């Protein structure tokens, strides 16, 4: 691949050409010959023509990312059972948000909102569950797990879910529903998943949403 950098300062042109000049040589020779055959034009090919011609012959690579996907999945038979566990955690939280993390059908970590107890505004149910999981099992086992949360994750928690490589998120009440009871950043899990170019995340929403919303007095 050839990279050409042209720097124009007071009509001075600096050109750096890396690797395969021979790939573009036929194109440049064609331009040179064509220029010399043009009547009324100087036979000398200027540096400016060289730059324009060379750039015209290039197809520069553009960095691309794999298509990001938030994959919507239907509810499974096990989802209601695990969601009830998450809702039970939520009922014990400073705010009614609870989470369980499941690996191969086993609950390996739980968490609930500990905002007030920990004096930590980042101690959301998902964050607490993730931290508990990491303490007990480490990061490798966390990849590909399913996280159940009583309420759709905020952008902070969803970002943590992405960086941990969690494979599926199942939530109860949606951001829109939660916003009728408590302050929310109005960015959905699907929006974040669809901007994540390096990971496919399965998302299932609305599981026992009414039960989750009943926790808000």
């Amino acid at each position: 691949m050839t990279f050409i950098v042209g720097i124009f300062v007071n009509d001075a042109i600096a050109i750096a050409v890396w690797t395969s000049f021979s790939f573009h040589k036929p194109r440049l020779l064609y331009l040179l010959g064509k220029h010399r055959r043009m009547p009324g034009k100087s036979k000398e090919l200027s540096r400016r023509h060289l730059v324009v011609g060379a750039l015209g012959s290039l197809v520069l690579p553009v960095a691309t990312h794999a298509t990001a996907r938030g994959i919507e999945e239907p509810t499974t038979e096990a989802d209601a059972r695990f969601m009830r566990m998450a809702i039970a955690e939520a009922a014990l939280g400073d705010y009614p948000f609870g989470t369980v993390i499941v690996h191969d059908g086993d609950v390996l970590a739980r968490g609930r909102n500990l905002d007030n107890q920990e004096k930590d505004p980042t101690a959301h149910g998902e964050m607490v569950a993730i931290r508990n999981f990491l303490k007990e099992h480490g990061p490798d086992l966390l990849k590909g797990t399913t996280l159940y949360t009583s309420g759709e994750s905020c952008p902070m928690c969803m970002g943590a879910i992405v960086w941990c490589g969690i494979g599926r998120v199942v939530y109860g009440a949606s951001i829109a529903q939660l916003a009728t009871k408590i302050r929310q950043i109005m960015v959905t899990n699907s929006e974040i998943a669809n901007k994540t170019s390096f990971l496919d995340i399965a998302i299932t929403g609305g599981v026992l949403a009414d039960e989750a919303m009943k926790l808000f007095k």
Side-chain angles (χ1 to χ4, degrees):
M1 184 59 64
T2 303
F3 294 88
I4 297 181
V5 179
I7 305 173
F8 295 82
V9 180
N10 296 327
D11 293 330
I13 304 172
I15 305 172
V17 179
W18 261 289
T19 72
S20 177
F21 170 76
S22 61
F23 180 80
H24 298 290
K25 185 175 179 181
R27 169 69 175 167
L28 297 178
L29 291 178
Y30 167 77
L31 291 170
L32 177 62
K34 181 178 180 181
H35 180 79
R36 288 179 172 172
R37 291 195 298 271
M38 292 174 65
K41 300 289 184 180
S42 168
K43 292 184 179 180
E44 180 184 358
L45 185 64
S46 70
R47 285 173 296 172
R48 186 180 298 276
H49 284 100
L50 177 61
V51 172
V52 173
L55 289 175
S57 67
L58 282 175
V59 178
L60 295 177
V62 179
T64 59
H65 296 288
T67 303
R69 294 186 298 168
I71 305 167
E72 294 187 7
E73 285 196 351
T75 303
T76 68
E77 292 182 3
D79 287 344
R81 177 165 58 91
F82 291 124
M83 184 57 69
R84 284 196 171 90
M85 295 181 188
I87 291 173
E89 288 292 323
L92 301 174
D94 293 344
Y95 296 94
F97 295 97
T99 298
V100 296
I101 299 176
V102 177
H103 179 270
D104 288 343
D106 296 321
V107 175
L108 296 189
R110 300 169 185 262
R112 56 182 179 270
N113 185 288
L114 298 177
D115 190 324
N116 296 332
Q117 294 179 52
E118 300 290 339
K119 295 181 172 55
D120 179 0
T122 71
H124 292 191
E126 298 95 322
M127 300 297 289
V128 172
I130 287 171
R131 290 165 184 164
N132 289 339
F133 191 105
L134 292 172
K135 287 176 185 176
E136 294 295 325
H137 307 288
D140 292 338
L141 195 62
L142 187 54
K143 292 179 172 60
T145 57
T146 298
L147 182 145
Y148 291 84
T149 178
S150 59
E152 186 173 4
S153 300
C154 74
M156 174 187 70
C157 294
M158 190 59 185
I161 288 166
V162 165
W163 290 118
C164 289
I166 291 171
R168 183 175 181 234
V169 175
V170 182
Y171 65 82
S174 69
I175 291 279
Q177 289 173 304
L178 296 171
T180 66
K181 299 292 185 178
I182 194 170
R183 294 178 302 171
Q184 290 292 302
I185 299 173
M186 303 304 291
V187 180
T188 68
N189 289 183
S190 292
E191 288 179 82
I192 295 173
N194 287 332
K195 293 183 182 298
T196 303
S197 60
F198 53 87
L199 180 71
D200 288 343
I201 306 171
I203 298 174
T204 302
V207 178
L208 304 182
D210 291 340
E211 291 186 31
M213 288 299 293
K214 287 178 182 177
L215 297 177
F216 290 89
K217 306 299 184 182

